[in-house]
Amino acid sequence: MSSYLIRNAQILGGAPQDILVDGGVIQQIGPGPTVEADIDIDATGLILLPGLVDLHTHLREPGKEDAETVLTGTQAAAKGGFTAVHAMANTTPVADNATVVEQVWQLGRDSGYCDVHPVGAVTVGLEGKELAELAAMHGSAAGVRVFSDDGKCVDDAVLMRAALEFAKSVDGVVAQHAQEPRLTEGAQMNEGTVSAELGLGGWPAVAEEAIIARDVLLAGHLGARLHVCHLSTVGSVRIVRWAKSQGWDVTAEVTPHHLLLTDEMVRSGDPVFKVNPPLRTETDVLALREALADGTIDAVATDHAPHPDADKDCAWAVAAMGMVGLETALSVVQQTMVDTGLMNWEGVADRMSHRPARIGRLTGQGRPIAVGEPANLVLFDPAHRSVVDAATFATRSRNTPFRGLELPGRVHATFLRGMPTVLAGELVDQGDLS
Ligand code: DOR
Ligand code: ZN
């Protein structure tokens, strides 16, 4: 394994330092370690952050390899600065048993581009009728601690209670996709003035908020840990803020697209903007940014949801929901949170690495940048600007809502336990490294 001397990097945006990485570990930090390294990296002007951790990634394998594979998804993750992702359970077959979660975990290990932590489904087949094999998934090699029916809501309160109780017994967490199913039947976009004008079925904010309200009460009652996926409304923020004020173990995430885009985009009719939960209003976007800055929202999670062209280049009504996001996440966070003055790079490290790692109970990820720590790192160039071009993506899918948009920042390098997965903005073939 080669050693790396990263020169003049600004750790969390601070003063330039030199960082020596050897044997997978940060060996020295300071103005100018005098030792020689195999490879020197000039990081002048670059920010050094802990490797990013995504709590919400759809890798699609097994079953939808035309959209993504574990290999292409983890390559996209590495290009986005991620060193660990949680792979959502809505694969085919569903990751509701030990066999499937072990398969995904093993594919992640084989890829070598980032750690893959499979999420286990809460209910068999995501059908919301009976609990999945939670204990077997937890006890498997994948060691599942995050359980979610994401894509679907666990709307049966008795099942949700049982899942929370099980999660509590293993120091795990239930990640809820909060969507009251009856209130969102036939819904195509956010319910509001735009949906009324376009004549599209509306998706009311209350459908999200009602489930979150119920679930924080359940979590508080049980003393269990609840994580709320992709918060999208100002009302959801208020409920999470209140739950935290009660001392309950409730965490929440927001996606980059909900930090930047509004339901006005739907006027284009382009299904690239169709997503679940839907893009909301300017008021919601501003509340989400504020809540991320003040820590009410714990994490940015991508909800990277790749879909093949055929499922997106079609009529709005029949298009699949979801957007790819791994390769643009950090740039969108820079644009919406850092360049707006709402958050500094320490905050970015906290919301995109430290806190998501803690929520997933990962060890060795989301660690501080300090001597003796595993070298999971991302070097980011905040001065770079470029127009998003899906053709350059590593993900197998092209459904980015940011295409054609100029965004700040670029991942220069990503290190996974001291091994570069990305150097000078390009993927490093993991087969070529020794
Ligand atoms: O837009 C979405 N796409 N939201 C989800 O919850 C699921 C995801 C998917 O799997 O495509
Ligand atoms: Zn979801």
Side-chain angles (χ1 to χ4, degrees):
M1 187 188 279
S2 300
S3 57
Y4 295 85
L5 186 54
I6 303 170
R7 293 190 189 275
N8 278 324
Q10 294 171 245
I11 300 175
L12 310 185
Q17 308 242 48
D18 291 356
I19 297 98
L20 178 67
V21 171
D22 196 6
V25 170
I26 300 172
Q27 299 288 358
Q28 285 188 51
I29 298 177
T34 46
V35 285
E36 293 280 302
D38 300 323
I39 296 170
D40 252 40
I41 297 177
D42 179 8
T44 306
L46 306 185
I47 310 279
L48 188 67
L49 299 172
L52 309 182
V53 176
D54 194 11
L55 280 168
H56 194 143
T57 314
H58 296 276
L59 291 178
R60 302 296 191 221
E61 192 176 1
K64 265 289 208 176
E65 291 83 357
D66 54 336
E68 195 78 287
T69 64
V70 172
L71 180 62
T72 59
T74 54
Q75 287 175 335
K79 282 192 80 182
F82 291 87
T83 50
V85 299
H86 290 77
M88 274 300 171
N90 63 342
T91 49
T92 313
V94 172
D96 60 4
N97 61 76
T99 307
V100 178
V101 294
E102 282 190 355
Q103 179 191 354
V104 173
W105 175 78
Q106 189 59 49
L107 286 166
R109 283 176 59 113
D110 295 345
S111 93
Y113 283 94
C114 77
D115 290 349
V116 174
H117 298 279
V119 173
V122 172
T123 68
V124 175
L126 307 175
E127 283 180 354
K129 300 221 166 58
E130 55 179 309
L131 276 194
E133 297 172 13
L134 307 185
M137 291 190 280
H138 175 68
S140 75
V144 174
R145 277 178 196 280
V146 182
F147 299 93
S148 181
D149 273 3
D150 181 65
K152 290 195 178 167
C153 181
V154 182
D155 67 315
D156 182 323
V158 173
L159 280 177
M160 188 61 185
R161 174 185 181 147
L164 285 164
E165 280 172 341
F166 175 79
K168 182 182 177 185
S169 74
V170 297
D171 192 22
V173 65
V174 180
Q176 175 70 293
H177 171 115
Q179 179 186 357
E180 212 292 317
R182 293 274 290 142
L183 286 172
T184 50
E185 275 173 21
Q188 295 282 337
M189 66 171 296
N190 178 51
E191 180 179 295
T193 50
V194 181
S195 69
E197 281 176 44
L198 297 178
L200 286 174
W203 193 307
V206 66
E208 176 173 314
E209 294 154 6
I211 295 291
I212 298 176
R214 181 201 74 181
D215 286 351
V216 300
L217 290 168
L218 268 178
H221 175 63
L222 300 169
R225 209 146 66 81
L226 170 75
H227 179 71
V228 186
C229 294
H230 39 53
L231 233 70
S232 71
T233 76
V234 59
S236 298
V237 166
R238 288 197 192 112
I239 297 164
V240 169
R241 192 173 281 138
W242 174 75
K244 288 189 168 189
S245 77
Q246 302 302 299
W248 298 341
D249 211 343
V250 172
T251 56
E253 69 189 31
V254 63
T255 70
H257 46 271
H258 288 109
L259 288 172
L260 184 58
L261 307 174
T262 70
D263 62 355
E264 290 292 333
M265 315 300 295
V266 178
R267 291 186 194 279
S268 69
D270 187 340
V272 80
F273 298 112
K274 187 173 177 184
V275 66
N276 174 354
L279 300 175
R280 304 286 190 182
T281 67
E282 183 80 20
T283 310
D284 296 305
V285 167
L286 296 177
L288 293 167
R289 291 182 186 180
E290 198 186 302
L292 182 64
D294 74 18
T296 302
I297 297 178
D298 300 82
V300 175
T302 66
D303 196 2
H304 176 80
H307 290 290
D309 290 349
D311 294 346
K312 280 303 224 181
D313 295 343
C314 55
W316 178 279
V318 295
M321 292 184 280
M323 306 168 161
V324 295
L326 286 166
E327 290 164 85
T328 45
L330 196 46
S331 289
V332 174
V333 169
Q334 181 185 341
Q335 163 130 331
T336 56
M337 302 301 297
V338 180
D339 292 353
T340 53
L342 287 168
M343 220 159 75
N344 57 20
W345 291 106
E346 279 177 47
V348 174
D350 186 61
R351 310 296 196 275
M352 296 188 79
S353 179
H354 301 317
R355 284 214 226 181
R358 209 179 311 141
I359 291 165
R361 294 293 190 258
L362 305 187
T363 51
Q365 293 279 353
R367 305 283 309 162
I369 298 177
V371 171
E373 294 288 353
N376 295 313
L377 299 166
V378 51
L379 265 177
F380 190 67
D381 179 2
H384 185 89
R385 292 194 74 87
S386 56
V387 174
V388 176
D389 176 6
T392 67
F393 282 176
T395 173
R396 190 164 274 182
S397 294
R398 297 287 168 260
N399 52 304
T400 172
F402 307 118
R403 65 184 168 210
L405 203 69
E406 190 183 281
L407 287 177
R410 175 177 187 252
V411 170
H412 182 81
T414 308
F415 288 87
L416 178 63
R417 286 179 286 279
M419 302 276 265
T421 54
V422 172
L423 272 182
E426 299 296 332
L427 283 171
V428 178
D429 187 340
Q430 295 304 291
D432 289 351
L433 294 169
S434 52

